[in-house]
Amino acid sequence: MLKTNSPIATKVYARYSGILSLSKFSLLLHDNNGDVLLEFNPSPDFCRHICWENPTRPCADYLKRFTSGEQGRFVCCYGMENILLPIIVKDEVVGFISGMQAYSQEREFQKYLINTAELAEMKGLDLEFVAKAISAFPTIDKDQTDIHEQLCHHIARNIALDIAESEQDNTGIINRLSAEKEILEKKVIDLEAKNMSLVINPHFLFNTLNSIARIAYFEHSHTTEELIYCLSDLLRYNVKQDNQLHTIASEMDNIEKYLYIQKARFKNRLQYEIIVPNELKAYRIPNMVIQPIVENAVIHGITPKRDGGTVRLIAEKYKNDITISVIDNGNGFSPEVLKLIHQPDSKIGVGFRSTDSRLKRYFGEEYGLSIVKSDYSGSTINIRIPTQPNAR
């Protein structure tokens, strides 16, 4: 049985510290009762402070698997990818390797459905701490998931080998495990290079668009030039998505570029108006909150109508709150769709609910999105945020 401060664990940590540093996902060693002995890569704050039973006992999702014998990958109650592998020596389970705690790209939306205020109150934690802990969860693609799972398997086998200090010749097994380690390191490095290319490629795209815009300028195609510059700016802003608050002014500037491009496409079938008082432009809002609502108004509200219509954005301050209204005179939601939007398990309205949850996570339960009106005459959706200092 593995024990606290086990020399085996220390030995494995020293052996794999290099490759572990390349993985940003958690990897823990447990004894056969499930208690945490060592964190090769630390568990996220959310798991440790909200989910764990105590400082050495993980969450209920893991504990039931320790006793039931379930192993492999699974999705926890908050929608995160996890893995649990037994360490087996001579047909006896002596411990476990666990890890990951990250969202797949398909389940990332579930992160924004977590009730931050309710958890903070239930656990007696600061609301800001819980919100930051949730936002810190990474999103993992399939390649990263597969490599981390291989790393967990590899370390579990190495620990089992180190424990089995028998007289048999383990040279062949050790050589195989060393070869596996080299393969894993190469896979992680290749994945890092792939991720770096994702950072470089957008810059290549922006530079190419700007070069095309310059050609349009010299050919006196000024409308084309302006559209390309707008598209370049729009893509650059969207790629820069993060968890920071952006000014209302920068969000509106991005939306205006989007609407300018759409108007060039739909011509007189689309009109738009943006009214934001100067004194409200410095207040901050999570990025890419308003734009999806505007896009929905254009694509699903205005463009299906033969004569098109108008999208209006109006920001107003009342007492300590700011309301940003997205108003269109297009086709509103049907009663059936409106009903589905508000159902947590419905695939319709996932973006709406995620955005609402995101706003609540930043500002509190009293803030977020609301559908004020939606019928045959159009829709009005309000975005409500505070003007208090913590929102600026």
Side-chain angles (χ1 to χ4, degrees), residues 56-91:
T56 63
R57 295 284 284 173
C59 69
D61 282 315
Y62 274 102
L63 293 177
K64 69 181 181 182
R65 284 170 171 80
F66 291 132
T67 55
S68 68
E70 295 178 65
Q71 58 179 272
R73 278 166 45 182
F74 68 94
V75 176
C76 74
C77 64
Y78 288 104
M80 285 176 285
E81 297 287 331
N82 289 265
I83 187 166
L84 180 66
L85 300 172
I87 300 169
I88 302 174
V89 178
K90 297 180 180 178
D91 298 324

Side-chain angles (χ1 to χ4, degrees), residues 333-350:
F333 298 113
S334 68
E336 294 78 15
V337 170
L338 275 175
K339 183 178 179 181
L340 288 171
I341 284 174
H342 293 98
Q343 291 181 2
D345 57 347
S346 170
K347 292 183 179 180
I348 295 176
V350 168

Side-chain angles (χ1 to χ4, degrees), residues 124-181:
L125 296 170
D126 181 70
L127 181 63
E128 183 180 358
F129 172 83
V130 177
K132 286 182 177 178
I134 294 171
S135 66
F137 278 128
T139 299
I140 186 169
D141 63 28
K142 186 179 184 304
D143 288 342
Q144 291 172 311
T145 305
D146 292 343
I147 288 174
H148 196 75
E149 183 175 9
Q150 290 175 44
L151 177 61
C152 291
H153 276 287
H154 188 60
I155 289 179
R157 288 197 296 270
N158 266 271
I159 292 175
L161 178 63
D162 285 333
I163 292 173
E165 294 178 339
S166 63
E167 295 180 357
Q168 64 176 317
D169 183 10
N170 288 325
T171 304
I173 301 174
I174 291 170
N175 289 338
R176 176 172 57 80
L177 290 172
S178 296
E180 284 183 6
K181 177 175 180 258

Side-chain angles (χ1 to χ4, degrees), residues 247-250 252 273-283 313-318 321-325 387 392:
T247 63
I248 291 175
S250 64
M252 290 299 177
E273 182 180 20
I274 299 176
I275 304 172
V276 180
N278 287 332
E279 62 269 21
L280 301 186
K281 290 181 177 180
Y283 286 96
L313 279 85
I314 302 173
E316 298 174 302
K317 179 182 177 184
Y318 178 71
D321 291 342
I322 293 173
T323 299
I324 300 169
S325 300
T387 61
R392 297 195 64 170

Side-chain angles (χ1 to χ4, degrees), residues 76-310:
C76 74
C77 64
Y78 288 104
M80 285 176 285
E81 297 287 331
N82 289 265
I83 187 166
L84 180 66
L85 300 172
I87 300 169
I88 302 174
V89 178
K90 297 180 180 178
D91 298 324
E92 180 186 356
V93 175
V94 298
F96 297 89
I97 289 289
S98 73
M100 224 167 314
Q101 286 94 53
Y103 282 96
S104 66
Q105 293 171 334
E106 295 77 16
R107 289 194 177 89
E108 184 182 22
F109 73 92
Q110 290 185 246
K111 174 165 70 172
Y112 304 110
L113 302 180
I114 298 173
N115 192 325
T116 310
E118 183 180 281
L119 282 177
E121 183 179 356
M122 183 173 64
K123 296 292 181 178
L125 296 170
D126 181 70
L127 181 63
E128 183 180 358
F129 172 83
V130 177
K132 286 182 177 178
I134 294 171
S135 66
F137 278 128
T139 299
I140 186 169
D141 63 28
K142 186 179 184 304
D143 288 342
Q144 291 172 311
T145 305
D146 292 343
I147 288 174
H148 196 75
E149 183 175 9
Q150 290 175 44
L151 177 61
C152 291
H153 276 287
H154 188 60
I155 289 179
R157 288 197 296 270
N158 266 271
I159 292 175
L161 178 63
D162 285 333
I163 292 173
E165 294 178 339
S166 63
E167 295 180 357
Q168 64 176 317
D169 183 10
N170 288 325
T171 304
I173 301 174
I174 291 170
N175 289 338
R176 176 172 57 80
L177 290 172
S178 296
E180 284 183 6
K181 177 175 180 258
E182 289 181 11
I183 292 170
L184 275 171
E185 286 175 338
K186 185 178 184 305
K187 284 184 177 180
V188 173
I189 291 168
D190 288 346
L191 192 60
E192 291 289 312
K194 174 186 170 184
N195 288 342
M196 280 301 295
S197 72
L198 295 177
V199 176
I200 295 167
N201 287 339
H203 294 297
F204 170 77
L205 175 61
F206 303 144
N207 291 337
T208 302
L209 286 171
N210 289 337
S211 297
I212 296 170
R214 295 303 295 164
I215 292 170
Y217 169 78
F218 287 118
E219 293 180 350
H220 305 291
S221 303
H222 298 304
T223 301
T224 303
E225 177 196 12
E226 194 167 358
L227 282 169
I228 291 170
Y229 278 132
C230 278
L231 177 59
S232 178
D233 290 344
L234 189 66
L235 290 171
R236 193 187 307 274
Y237 190 87
N238 289 359
V239 166
K240 195 179 66 175
Q241 291 190 47
D242 51 37
N243 290 310
Q244 301 299 314
L245 297 175
H246 293 198
T247 63
I248 291 175
S250 64
E251 285 289 297
M252 290 299 177
D253 181 63
N254 185 59
I255 290 164
E256 189 162 15
K257 288 182 171 69
Y258 167 79
L259 288 169
Y260 179 82
I261 292 170
Q262 292 290 45
K263 181 162 177 60
R265 176 186 175 189
F266 295 110
K267 302 189 183 304
N268 291 335
R269 293 183 59 240
L270 173 64
Q271 308 298 327
Y272 64 87
E273 182 180 20
I274 299 176
I275 304 172
V276 180
N278 287 332
E279 62 269 21
L280 301 186
K281 290 181 177 180
Y283 286 96
R284 295 184 178 271
I285 189 170
N287 74 318
M288 296 299 292
V289 163
I290 310 170
Q291 198 267 345
I293 307 301
V294 174
E295 187 173 349
N296 184 78
V298 172
I299 302 302
H300 300 292
I302 301 300
T303 59
K305 293 185 67 173
R306 186 185 65 180
D307 297 327
T310 301

